[in-house]
Amino acid sequence: MNKVVGARGEKLASEFLQRRGYEILERNFKYDRGEIDLIAKKDDLIVFCEVKTRRSKTYGGGEEAVDSRKQGQIRKVAEGFISSREPGDFDYRFDVIVVEQSGKTTKIRLIEDAFH
């Protein structure tokens, strides 16, 4: 059930970014033992996105789940993505997208530059 909810949240997050002019470069990019949900590009900026989908606040908000351990894992995967590309000079940031689903209502929050 959680995989279905997560996959739906990632799809909604991807559509949300595309409506805002982002190009989705990768979905579920795996490197070593980690994964980044979405990697997007807008202008010359690469955005590594962790998507957290919640149906309730029982376990806290989505952004709270991206703790220092998870941030370190995302950074490592981002380094793997960068090293797999042509060398170049570009900026990047780490965002968190929280998808909150309650009944038929869905709210999507983009937290830009959520961590460094």
Side-chain angles (χ1 to χ4, degrees), residues 60-115:
E63 61 273 24
E64 295 166 11
V66 187
D67 58 14
S68 60
R69 182 194 65 78
K70 183 68 174 174
Q71 291 175 18
Q73 182 183 35
I74 292 168
R75 279 190 202 95
K76 183 176 181 181
V77 177
E79 289 170 6
F81 175 83
I82 291 166
S83 69
S84 73
R85 300 290 180 219
E86 292 290 321
D89 190 23
F90 55 86
D91 290 324
Y92 62 92
R93 72 171 187 239
F94 298 96
D95 290 0
V96 174
I97 301 175
V98 180
V99 179
E100 296 172 341
Q101 297 178 306
S102 177
K104 293 185 179 184
T105 303
T106 300
K107 293 181 185 175
I108 300 175
R109 290 186 292 122
L110 172 62
I111 303 165
E112 293 182 349
D113 205 17
F115 58 92

Side-chain angles (χ1 to χ4, degrees), residues 19-62:
R19 284 192 303 272
R20 282 155 182 75
Y22 291 79
E23 173 189 358
I24 304 301
L25 300 177
E26 296 276 350
R27 287 178 166 83
N28 304 112
F29 178 81
K30 291 174 178 55
Y31 178 79
D32 198 18
R33 290 186 208 127
E35 179 181 306
I36 293 178
D37 296 324
L38 296 172
I39 301 174
K41 181 178 180 185
K42 187 167 185 182
D43 302 320
D44 290 331
L45 181 69
I46 302 292
V47 183
F48 299 99
C49 300
E50 178 67 11
V51 179
K52 291 297 179 188
T53 306
R54 294 290 184 261
R55 292 187 295 176
S56 75
K57 299 268 186 176
T58 302
Y59 300 104

